[in-house]
Amino acid sequence: MKKLNNTLVVFLSSTFFFFSCKKKEEVDKTITLPFFNSALMTPEWIAQDTEEYRKIHKVAKFQLTNQEGKLITNKAYNGKIYVADFFFVTCPGICPVLEKNMSILQEKYMKDDEVFLLSHTVMPTKDSVPVLKQYAVENDIHSEKWNLVTGDKKELYDLARTSYFADEDFVKTQDEDAFIHTENFVLVDKQGRIRGVYNGTIKLEIQRLIRHIDMLKKEG
């Protein structure tokens, strides 16, 4: 009887190990993008049939105003893939480069109903709707594809830090009064989950981003 019990234990353990390994192998990293669930930005590949999959981080609800004076909420991006970033109009440093590389994405996906762009100002006291509109005109930015949004400073900064994990300095300092300036482009899937982070000033990173957008589109 004891021998039978030992055999049963070994069988059950082997079966559990087999199915555990099988579950881990369900996610093919060569064709599936990871998820990012915290400001540590650690990529995680999570199988759909796990409890963790239902707890994946999502961008919080938001209400902002675009360059046309229209209210833009997270609902506008439900079922859409989008790239988000943070900038300000008078930025003399990296922002012109970010705008140029976002423009590459705008041109590539102009006629694609699945992919959109969303740029948040980090200087809402100066970047009013008319200022954003003028910036859009000067840079050939089309609101039907690419929203430049302004709004409440706290909401914008909270989005950058706790939804998009875009403020790397905040992770280190936790200084809520610090100015946000980041070169990151954040890729968000159709369910509002972060699937990639890219240096928006580097052309090779933009090409990697484009490849990843194509991967997301294949997910359905």
Side-chain angles (χ1 to χ4, degrees), residues 11-22:
F11 173 77
L12 291 174
S13 298
S14 299
T15 303
F16 176 78
F17 179 78
F18 173 78
F19 282 107
S20 296
C21 289
K22 185 179 180 182

Side-chain angles (χ1 to χ4, degrees), residues 159-176:
L159 278 170
R161 289 166 173 163
T162 64
S163 275
Y164 295 104
F165 308 132
D167 186 7
E168 296 173 1
D169 290 337
F170 183 69
V171 177
K172 303 171 186 175
T173 67
Q174 296 296 302
D175 182 3
E176 293 185 357

Side-chain angles (χ1 to χ4, degrees), residues 18 61 79 87 91 161 172 185:
F18 173 78
K61 294 180 180 179
F87 81 113
C91 166
R161 289 166 173 163
K172 303 171 186 175
F185 282 4

Side-chain angles (χ1 to χ4, degrees), residues 49-192:
D49 57 350
T50 62
E51 183 65 26
E52 289 80 6
Y53 190 84
R54 291 182 282 277
K55 298 177 181 178
I56 293 171
H57 170 82
K58 293 184 178 182
V59 174
K61 294 180 180 179
F62 57 83
Q63 288 191 355
L64 300 166
T65 306
N66 78 350
Q67 66 266 37
E68 307 292 344
K70 295 180 179 179
L71 183 67
I72 302 297
T73 74
N74 54 295
K75 291 182 180 180
Y77 296 92
N78 287 347
K80 308 294 183 183
I81 297 167
Y82 72 97
V83 179
D85 77 335
F86 294 83
F87 81 113
F88 62 102
V89 168
T90 56
C91 166
I94 64 171
C95 292
V97 182
L98 297 179
E99 182 278 322
K100 182 178 180 180
N101 286 334
M102 271 288 205
S103 291
I104 292 173
L105 298 176
Q106 176 180 246
E107 182 178 359
K108 180 171 180 60
Y109 296 105
M110 193 65 207
K111 297 181 179 179
D112 190 323
D113 292 336
E114 290 185 83
V115 183
F116 293 86
L117 310 174
L118 178 61
S119 293
H120 311 70
T121 179
V122 293
M123 198 177 284
T125 53
K126 291 188 176 181
D127 290 347
S128 62
V129 170
V131 170
L132 292 180
K133 178 64 176 179
Q134 183 61 32
Y135 182 81
V137 170
E138 291 173 356
N139 292 282
D140 196 28
I141 293 170
H142 301 268
S143 59
E144 65 270 25
K145 177 58 59 177
W146 181 359
N147 281 311
L148 311 176
V149 290
T150 188
D152 177 72
K153 181 180 178 180
K154 185 179 185 306
E155 180 178 7
L156 287 162
Y157 275 49
D158 282 349
L159 278 170
R161 289 166 173 163
T162 64
S163 275
Y164 295 104
F165 308 132
D167 186 7
E168 296 173 1
D169 290 337
F170 183 69
V171 177
K172 303 171 186 175
T173 67
Q174 296 296 302
D175 182 3
E176 293 185 357
D177 295 324
F179 182 72
I180 293 176
H181 206 190
T182 173
E183 70 274 11
N184 287 343
F185 282 4
V186 182
L187 177 60
V188 183
D189 70 15
K190 293 181 179 182
Q191 286 75 47

